[in-house]
Amino acid sequence: MAIRRILTIDNAADLAILKQVSQPVAGVDDAVRALMDDMLETMYAAPGIGLAAVQVGALDRVIVMDLGDREGAGDLDEDAEPTEEAALARRNPRHFVNPEILWASDEMFTYEEGCLSIPEYFDAVERPARVRIKYLNYAGQTVEEEAEGLYAVCIQHEMDHLNGVLFIDHLSRLRRERAVAKVKKHARMAA
């Protein structure tokens, strides 16, 4: 496994890749599993809870996610000091190859989203509260299930990446411009 560089919107070449539509993969083989392993290691190191292959420069319809014990979204002790042991105990990696949304609820859910490709910026995005998804898992088996809460938000966010859409594309033009300016400023200060 290897940690890969995460593409960010402050780099024009990275942004051009992030805006591309990812292509379906023929199936789950050792190369796709190696990509997913690298993506998980990259996501954990960042740290994040979801990552699409395009965010590491691979235009494949592949997502990894780990909500740990947060799938219920709301039972976290935000004041608890994070430890490596606690983080390892909460790991629950998920793998999604060629995911598709089969159904989305009319009921909407608003969540303050962030993105590893848009560092240090968070904003509220409204999405369907529940979705039914179909995908291939790490073993190449077809899975169909319903997602709600944080799981639904995260899978929709990551699937947007596969279609060249960033979460800031759901915001007003003013808020989107503010996000880009903040990310560029953060990148200049970090350099």
Side-chain angles (χ1 to χ4, degrees), residues 101-105 128-133 145-148 151-153 155-156 159:
I101 293 176
L102 303 175
W103 169 86
S105 69
R130 292 183 323 282
V131 292
R132 183 150 196 79
I133 57 174
E145 65 185 351
E146 199 164 300
E148 63 181 320
Y151 183 23
V153 168
I155 195 68
Q156 291 174 83
M159 287 181 70

Side-chain angles (χ1 to χ4, degrees), residues 91-132:
R91 285 196 176 167
N92 182 27
R94 305 282 308 263
H95 309 86
F96 305 84
V97 176
N98 297 333
E100 54 186 297
I101 293 176
L102 303 175
W103 169 86
S105 69
D106 292 332
E107 177 189 359
M108 301 301 280
F109 181 69
T110 302
Y111 191 82
E112 188 169 274
E113 297 184 26
C115 181
L116 296 175
S117 293
I118 308 170
E120 305 299 318
Y121 186 80
F122 300 87
D123 211 326
V125 176
E126 185 178 57
R127 298 182 183 274
R130 292 183 323 282
V131 292
R132 183 150 196 79

